[in-house]
């Protein structure tokens, strides 16, 4: 087993606070030697897209970095990681540097393992490395990534995607999951598990990023619907039907169906299920109530039905979901 060289691409040497997270994850996992676990450890190279020793202008915000390598540092690396791209590059207001894309393509052609964390997928996609590949990014960026790069098979439900020599992840903690996965691939499960213990994180998290997607009530321009939807959210513990909601809206069930679908993109039953799942998530996050009681309060009925829906929609059990949120106060779920 070999650790090898990891080249990390720093696109702007003025790194905003929010982009520093992903860069910090990479440096923490690969840049701090653990010779008692594996010797040699990884050789980490910080590579600036602005050139060797580049530094951001003073006062430009975030952190100004000096890097020992320019893009030539990607040459010969075993693994190339793009931890983030500037927000303007995600939005399409700014193009990524052509020499960066060339360097990424060259590294991939030379056999480097190509990795992105969160919005770093936009750089790999722009370089053509993700074409025809399954990939992911933070769920808030996936729609934009798919729109700008239709040749990429975007999966917004997973924490990370291992497509062999190309790997992509969702947001900050999912980036840590992927980095530990790389260590597991390179140095074995024992080393990865021991490193996870030192970082005080799970060696492997169940489920995907679908469990973290915001399920709050979408805004609607239909003023007549808003009070009905707010009322429904306040009474999710009741058995609600389309007829009930239509009657409260003063319309026929068919008209209500059409108006709700136009306003939210969902049928009434789909909308109700989404709100019931959101209520169950909130109760699991913030209370120690049993799964059976949460099933009742959210309108999903029994604990068994709640478990079934969580596995289907989020890929985790309610208990596993609750463990990710300390405010849940400890699982009181009876064994399934």
């Amino acid at each position: 087993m070999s650790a090898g060289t990891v080249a990390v691409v720093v696109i702007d040497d003025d790194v905003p606070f929010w982009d520093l997270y992903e860069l910090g994850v990479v440096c923490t996992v690969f840049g701090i030697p653990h010779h008692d676990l594996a010797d040699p450890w990884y050789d980490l190279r910080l590579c600036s897209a602005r050139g060797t020793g580049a530094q951001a202008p003073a006062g430009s915000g975030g952190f100004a970095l000096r890097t020992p390598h320019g893009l030539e540092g990607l040459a010969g690396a075993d693994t190339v990681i793009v931890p983030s791209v500037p927000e303007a590059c995600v939005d399409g207001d700014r193009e990524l540097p052509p020499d960066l894309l060339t360097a990424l393509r060259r590294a991939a052609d030379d056999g480097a393992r190509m990795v992105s964390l969160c919005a770093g997928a936009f750089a790999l996609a722009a370089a053509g490395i993700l074409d025809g590949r399954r990939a992911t990014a933070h769920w808030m960026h996936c729609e934009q990534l798919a729109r700008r790069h239709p040749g990429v098979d975007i999966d917004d439900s997973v924490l990370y995607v291992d497509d062999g020599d190309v790997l992509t992840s969702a947001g900050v903690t999912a980036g840590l999951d992927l980095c530990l996965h790389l260590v597991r691939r390179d140095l074995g499960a024992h080393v990865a598990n021991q490193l996870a213990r030192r970082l005080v994180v799970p060696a492997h998290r169940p489920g995907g990023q679908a469990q973290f997607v915001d399920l709050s009530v979408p805004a609607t321009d239909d003023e007549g619907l808003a009070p009905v939807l707010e009322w429904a959210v306040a009474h999710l513990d009741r058995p609600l039907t389309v007829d009930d909601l239509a009657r409260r809206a003063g319309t026929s069930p068919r008209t209500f169906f059409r108006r709700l679908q136009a306003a939210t993109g969902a049928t009434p039953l789909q909308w109700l299920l989404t709100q019931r799942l959101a209520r169950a998530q909130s109760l699991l996050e913030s209370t120690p109530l049993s799964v059976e009681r949460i099933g009742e309060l959210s309108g999903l009925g029994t604990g068994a039905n709640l478990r079934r829906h969580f596995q289907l929609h989020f890929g985790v059990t309610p208990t596993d979901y609750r463990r990710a949120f300390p405010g849940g106060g400890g699982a009181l779920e009876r064994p399934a």
Side-chain angles (χ1 to χ4, degrees):
M1 297 181 182
S2 173
T5 300
V6 175
V8 184
V9 178
V10 180
I11 295 177
D12 279 346
D13 299 292
D14 173 33
V15 182
F17 295 110
W18 47 89
D19 285 344
L20 193 67
Y21 294 137
E22 285 85 2
L23 179 59
V25 163
V26 175
C27 293
T28 298
V29 172
F30 302 109
I32 301 175
H34 296 270
H35 294 310
D36 59 321
L37 296 181
D39 194 6
W41 194 250
Y42 293 89
D43 174 22
L44 183 72
R45 300 178 189 168
L46 286 179
C47 305
S48 171
R50 292 189 179 186
T52 305
Q55 184 179 23
S60 53
F63 289 85
L65 301 180
R66 286 190 181 274
T67 54
H69 302 279
L71 289 174
E72 77 285 347
L74 275 61
D78 299 288
T79 302
V80 173
I81 301 180
V82 185
S84 64
V85 301
E87 193 68 28
C89 297
V90 173
D91 297 336
D93 298 330
R94 170 185 164 191
E95 296 297 323
L96 287 161
D99 55 343
L100 167 64
L101 303 183
T102 299
L104 290 173
R105 283 191 291 267
R106 184 176 296 121
D109 291 342
D110 289 343
R113 180 172 59 184
M114 307 301 292
V115 179
S116 67
L117 310 186
C118 196
F122 284 83
L124 297 190
I129 295 168
L130 298 185
D131 287 347
R133 299 262 194 172
R134 179 168 164 258
T136 194
H138 192 290
W139 61 267
M140 293 180 69
H141 296 320
C142 281
E143 183 178 350
Q144 176 80 313
L145 183 61
R147 183 164 56 249
R148 294 186 57 194
H149 301 283
V152 183
D153 179 13
I154 305 298
D155 187 343
D156 63 0
S157 68
V158 295
L159 296 175
Y160 61 83
V161 171
D162 181 342
D163 197 27
D165 56 347
V166 177
L167 301 92
T168 53
S169 83
V172 179
T173 53
L176 179 55
D177 292 326
L178 177 54
C179 289
L180 288 171
H181 173 71
L182 291 171
V183 173
R184 188 177 300 108
R185 273 184 45 171
D186 296 339
L187 301 174
H190 174 73
V191 173
N193 292 345
Q194 290 301 309
L195 179 58
R197 291 185 67 184
R198 294 180 185 187
L199 298 176
V200 199
V201 296
H204 174 75
R205 285 193 296 161
Q209 63 174 319
Q211 61 189 297
F212 302 108
V213 174
D214 183 9
L215 296 180
S216 56
V217 180
T220 172
D221 294 330
D222 191 331
E223 295 182 358
L225 276 183
V228 179
L229 301 187
E230 292 172 3
W231 177 86
V233 168
H235 297 85
L236 290 173
D237 57 331
R238 301 184 183 183
L240 300 175
T241 67
V242 177
D243 287 347
D244 294 332
L245 299 179
R247 189 178 308 112
R248 194 163 190 88
T251 69
S252 68
R254 179 175 296 182
T255 298
F256 181 81
F257 186 105
R258 186 169 58 250
R259 286 175 59 188
L260 182 64
Q261 191 164 41
T264 68
T267 67
L269 292 182
Q270 289 170 338
W271 184 88
L272 275 171
L273 176 58
T274 297
Q275 303 315 310
R276 294 190 193 284
L277 288 170
R279 173 63 54 79
Q281 285 180 307
S282 177
L283 292 171
L284 285 166
E285 293 168 18
S286 60
T287 77
L289 294 172
S290 70
V291 169
E292 285 74 15
R293 182 59 177 150
I294 289 174
E296 295 170 1
L297 293 174
S298 63
L300 290 170
T302 64
N305 196 43
L306 176 62
R307 295 184 190 98
R308 182 176 67 83
H309 278 293
F310 260 66
Q311 286 283 11
L312 179 64
H313 293 275
F314 305 134
V316 294
T317 66
T319 299
D320 282 337
Y321 181 86
R322 169 175 263 156
R323 289 194 184 108
F325 297 91
L332 298 182
E333 178 181 4
R334 292 196 292 268

